[in-house]
Structures are given as C-alpha cells and as structure tokens.
Amino acid sequence: MTLLEAKKGDLLKITGISDGENKRKLLDFGFNRGMVLRVITFAPLKKTVLVALRGYVLALRAKSCALIEVTI
Amino acid sequence: MSVRTKTSCIEPINGVKTAEKLQTDNISKKILLVGNPNVGKTTIFNLLTGSTNHVGNWHGVTVDTCSKRIIHNGSIIEITDLPGLYSLTAAGAEERISAEIILARGYDLILNIVDMCNLSRNLYLTCQLLEAGAPVTVVCNMAERFRLEGGDADIAKLSKIFRVPFVNFNLTKDGRRQLLDACVLPIQCRDGGTDFLRVNEIQVLSRNIGAAAKRAGLSPMFAATKLYERDTAIAEKLNIGLDALKIPAGSEGVVSAKRYEFIDSVVAKTVKKESSVCRNGCGSCKTDCGGSGNFSAAYGESRLDKIILNKYLAVPIFLLVMAAVFWLAFGSLGRVLSDGINFLIDGLALPAISNVFFSWTPDWVRGLITDGIVRGAGSVASFFPQVMLMYLALAALEDSGYMSRVAFVCDGLLEPLGLSGKSVFTMIMGFGCSTAALTTAKNLETKQVRLKTMLLTPYMSCSAKLPVYAVVASVFFTNNFLIIFLLYLAGIIIAVALAAVFNMIPSLKTHEGSFIMEMPPYRKLSPKRLIKLTLKNAGEFFVRVGTVVLAINIIVWILCNFSLTAGYGTTPDLSLMATLAGFIKNIFAPLGFGTWQAATALLSGLVAKETVITTIASLGGAAAVFSSSQAALSFLVFVLLYTPCISALGVIAKEAGIKWAVFSFVLNFVVAYAAAFAVYFIGIRFF
C-alpha cells in the first residue's frame, strides 16, 4: 500500500519510492527503503499528512504520499 | 516596515582596527554559512558579524544571500549567509541560489552548520559538500539542547571518519571566538570524498564525462554522481543530455540510499546515546519511547500538537489566535497606549509649539511645523504602540513554531485555491508590512504559487493602513472596532475570491503543487529576543516616519498652502495641490470622495501608506475631507484595496518582473474602485 492509505498513528516501513515529481526530494529527506516512519496526523480535509522519520517531522501532500510504498 | 533580508548587503569592515593593521596582515578569507533550513545559520551569522538579520523558527526565513566583513586576529573575514538547502540538487529558487554559489567555488571555507538533534538528515548535505570537494568545517549547533535531552555524540570520532574538523558551537562570546579561530586555521580539505559511494556505474560515468566536468569546474566524480541522480542543473552545466547517458531506472534511489547507509553507520558508531526526547512520538528514532508513547520531556510538546493540530480544533484555534493578536494590538492594550500618545501630541506638544516655542515665527513657519510636521507625523506616531504590538505578536507566532503548524493546517484549505500552506507565512506577515512579507514569498514551491501569493499579499491590510481606518472610522462611526474588523475581513475575503479567479487563468493555474515542509519543534520564546526585535522595529518605524513620511508631509503641506499667484495664505482650494489633485479628483466622484483632499491623500499613499492619514490630518482632518459616513467608508475600502506602496511594487518587480508589478498596480486599482463603488452605492441606497 502507499502512505496515502495509512491511518493516523500507523508505524510503517518504507518498501520503495515510485517515480514521480518529488521522488528525489523525498529521497533527499531520507525516505529510503527500510526506513520506519510514523503517521502523526492529517490536516483538516485530509490532503496533507504529518509524518515523523529520522527524528524529525515533515508535512507532505497527498501527491507525494502516493509515491511512498509502505508496509505495516 | 522591516525588509527581511538585505540583498547581498556587503557592508564596510566592522570594528575600528585601523588601516595599517589591515595592510600588514591582509589575509582575506571568504567563508560561507551552509546548512539545512532552520538550523540557525542566520543566528550564527548575526553572532559572528554583530548583525541583526531576521531569524525565526521556521524553514526558509533567509531567502537571499547576505555578506559582511569582520576582522579577527588581524585577518579580514568575509562571511556570507546562504538560504538553507537540503541537497545540492536544488528544489526551490532559494535553494538554487545556494547550490550555485557552493558549486562556483569562490570561497575559502564552508562552515556547514548541523543540528545535532537531527544529525542524520543534516549529514546528508555534509556528504554532498564533501563529494563536491568543498573545504568544509562542520559546526555542531544545538549541541546544548542535544546534551540536555540526554544525547551524547563523539565529535572527535565524527571528525576522524569524515576527515574534516567538527567543532562544537555555543551561542556565546566564547563560542564566537572559537568559531572564528576555526575559520582562520589552515584549511584541511578532504579531496573528492566519495569513497562511501562505491557504485561502479558512477565510476565509469566519471571517466566518460571527466573532460566536460573539468571544463565546468567540477570534480568528475561529483559531476558523475549528480548526473546519476538525474540532476538537470548539472547536466546543463556540462552541456550533456541526460537521456544520452542511459542511466538505469531508479538510479536516484541508489545514490541516496548509499549516502544514508553511510550516515547511518557513522551515526551508529559515533552517537553513543541519542536524545532521549522523541520530538513527536515518531517511534522511528531508536530511543526509549520506541513508539510506545512513553517518552519524557517533550511529551508536553506533543500533547500541544495533539490539540493544535486536532482535526476539528485546528482551524478554530487559528482563528482565535489571530483574533487575540488583533484584540491585543487594536482593541485593548494598544488602544490605551495610543490614546496616551495622542493626548501628549494634541494636548501638550501642539499648544506648546504654537503658543510658546514658535509664537514669534511667521505664520507659514508655524503652520508648517504644527500642521505639516507635528500633526501629520503625530497622526502616525500615535499608532506606534499598536504597530509594535502587531509586530511583537507576529514574531511570537513565528518564533514559537506555531506559524509552521498554521501552514500545515491551512494547506488543505489553500490547495483548492492553488496556493500552498506556506503562503500563509507570507500573508500573515502582510498584516505587518507588505514589503517585508513579499520578500518571504521566495521560498514557495512553484512559480505560480509564488506569483499568486505575491499578488494577494497586499490584500492583507498592512499596519500602515490601520491609522487611516482608526482615525476616519472614529469620526464617522460609533463602533469603529467593528469597522476595522470588517475591513480586515473584507481584505481576506477578496484575496480568497481573487485566488479562485486566478486559478481559472491558464498562465496562473497551479498544477497540483508539491508541498513538502519540515515542521520545526516548539521553542520557548526568549523575552530578550522579543525585546530586541521590538526595538529594531521601533527604530525602523521612527526612521521611516522621520524620513519618507515627513518629507512627503512637508511637500504636501507646501503644495497645499501656497499658490502660484498668491504665495502663502491662499485659501486651500486655490493652492497648488488643489489644482494638481483637481485633475484627478473627478475619478473618485462616483465613489463619494471626489475632493482634492482625498485625491491628495491617495496620491501620497502611493509612496507610503502612512502618509494617507498624515495628509488627511494636515488638511483639516477626516471630518473636513469627507462629506458623509458613506463616503468615508467607501474611502476606507478604497485604501484597504488600492495599489500597494512603491516599495512593495518594487519587490514584486524584482521577484516576478515589471510586467507583474504593473499587473498588480492595475488589478488593485480596479478591484478597489469596484469595491468602493459598490460600498458607496449600497450605502447611499439603503442607509
């Protein structure tokens, strides 16, 4: 599944990043295969997600989330 | 009122260490401050150079480079503060500025500032700087906080592994000296440190493109790595088409994974104990919280986010916070202080000046001083407390980290309008000063979002317009707080409506934007910093009132009180200004304020909005200028919406081009005219 389908509070392992506009940016931010991230919360309207990884917190739009393949 | 970061503000040498000293040891070092956004580069820059550049607790405060020279132990050091960046493959406009400067190699040393609390992501940039073969000294910032949270890192070992100096840094005089000492040390350089990138394809590639890379002044290995990452900027530099290189799919991931693999292994070896504070309950950091929710000191912070970012509460909380800011500035404390200053000017200063100090001077001198200068400048100065409280509140929102939360919360609401959550930064800053706010638009993701944010920010009523509302409304309306509130609201509603219209214009339409924003931790507000900031704003306020506003006042007063035929003492209606403004006053007749006084106020407001009220004050006050409350309200709506001041237009012209500055000029005028006409028409018809 992708990060888009995740629920608030989920602890997820990244299995890969699909090709897309923000791919390299996500890689630069440390979204590597095998990295664990947590979904902190969603913004109102649910389009923007707050995730924590590597000890910092990042806000991402749905479009970027759709690139992030994760498993529980 | 304060322009955020000065563009390439190369300033004269600081400190009075005489000319002969300079001649003897004329060793000039050029140093760049480089690092991720919000790691404290500008704070360090300010400490090193004694500057007061704007800093804040969000990502992308600095949007332009700023250089300053200082003398340390007889060497001239030129220090340049760069906008933050995450990677040398730049994503935004201000990242590109930094990346270009770093790759151009016109410096002696990079001070790479890293946030110890966020080490691995910060070292990612460090790796790339080393790959590029740049001379680097790593400055470990926020080490104090890291230690307090129970973290422990082996700086010496980090230094050994990376083969560049790592220095601990603390924000004191001592820290400043140590850092400057590190700057003037003979520079150690690790050449082309890419041995953590053992990828065969990259090595092959580096041999193939070696000549082209050298021509572009880049190390072949670095250029090959960047090409392998599909960096189009580097490909352009080398004049190589990326398609021709037949780079395998997924290559970006390979390089990034190699870097992080290396970093993770280094961190595992050197960081003995990670911070026990899990900043946001992520559970991915290998700390005691382990995702169990059982974490210590920062628990309160996370709890704060639980409320502030709550699905249902987030927006109401934001509105409440903004309401509180306005109430503080305009409704309660600010108003009392303002009334006090008003009393001092009207009750004490004016009678004293005209009856005592200048009673012996000719009429026109007394008139110029009382009406032209004191009453005019005083009408702005009495709003000094309110403007300062506004700035103070905005600074507090920024420093605490709340502004980034607002950006996150609003992103979903702004996306359908083709704006980004980060647009909120710029727009809220617009309540202080449009010009300062517009310069922050640079860190927005796409050109369209940047442009639209710049076109809409002037609709956030800036603090210089406040005196106009307050003075005019108090003459014509009983509840002027309500009128002021409605005006601010009207500005926001029109901005939203325009955003929707912009999204229908093909050249302005945003394709689904790429909002990625790091969330800063909450920070305690430092009273010292807030006081310093207020003093800085206060200084700028008085300089502005004392120069631009005063000059326009004097010019307007002279034009209004002299005529070509009769000299001084002419009836105002025959004055030079009445003649000049008479040409354009008819334009405003349909809006209800077709008087030359109103036209004069609006004309002077093109230069600086403060002068709208000073002009009205020196032309007899609002009661004399407007014939009815409908006309006054229509005028206020016009002032709220019309053309931004010259310095704001200047920023738009610089960032987006003359064409868009003209567009902004025309658009605001048309919108203001239409809205004021509607208000006047409805007012006359129904009230």
Side-chain angles (χ1 to χ4, degrees), chain A residues 1-12 37-42 46 49-51 70 72:
Chain A
M1 69 176 202
T2 69
L3 188 55
L4 210 51
E5 299 144 59
K7 283 191 291 294
K8 187 174 165 171
D10 278 354
L11 195 62
L12 305 159
L37 62 82
R38 180 175 282 273
V39 180
I40 298 177
T41 191
F42 293 89
K46 239 194 154 184
V49 185
L50 206 58
V51 298
V70 287
I72 290 177

Side-chain angles (χ1 to χ4, degrees), chain A residues 8 10-11 19-33 35-64, chain B residues 86-87 89 91 95 118 120-121 124 229-231 250 252-253 256-257 260 264 279-284 291 309 311 314-315 408-409 411-413 415-416 419-421 512-519:
Chain A
K8 187 174 165 171
D10 278 354
L11 195 62
D19 284 331
E21 201 188 321
N22 282 320
K23 180 178 183 183
R24 190 178 35 232
K25 187 132 197 195
L26 291 172
L27 293 168
D28 286 343
F29 272 110
F31 285 81
N32 308 109
R33 192 175 299 145
M35 203 67 217
V36 176
L37 62 82
R38 180 175 282 273
V39 180
I40 298 177
T41 191
F42 293 89
L45 298 185
K46 239 194 154 184
K47 281 190 174 154
T48 315
V49 185
L50 206 58
V51 298
L53 83 161
R54 293 187 174 276
Y56 72 95
V57 180
L58 205 65
L60 293 169
R61 268 196 187 159
K63 198 184 175 193
S64 302
Chain B
Y86 290 106
S87 165
T89 302
E95 276 198 15
N118 191 355
S120 65
R121 221 251 345 271
Y124 188 78
E229 281 186 281
R230 296 173 201 279
D231 183 323
E252 311 98 311
S256 148
Y260 270 115
D264 288 340
R279 225 155 256 96
N280 288 278
C282 57
S284 65
L309 301 180
K311 213 175 355 173
V315 175
F408 169 69
V409 167
D411 185 59
L413 306 170
E415 200 196 337
L419 296 171
S420 137
E512 200 187 336
S514 52
F515 178 80
I516 297 186
M517 184 190 70
E518 198 182 339
M519 191 69 74

Side-chain angles (χ1 to χ4, degrees), chain B residues 371-393:
Chain B
D371 288 339
I373 297 175
V374 179
R375 209 185 294 275
S379 59
V380 172
S382 65
F383 286 90
F384 170 70
Q386 304 193 328
V387 173
M388 285 308 114
L389 282 170
M390 189 77 198
Y391 277 115
L392 195 65

Side-chain angles (χ1 to χ4, degrees), chain B residues 199 201-202 205 222-231 242 245-255:
Chain B
V199 180
E201 286 95 329
I202 296 181
L205 193 58
F222 172 72
T225 312
K226 279 290 157 204
L227 289 175
Y228 203 69
E229 281 186 281
R230 296 173 201 279
D231 183 323
L242 274 179
L245 296 172
K246 296 200 186 77
I247 294 162
S251 58
E252 311 98 311
V254 173
V255 176

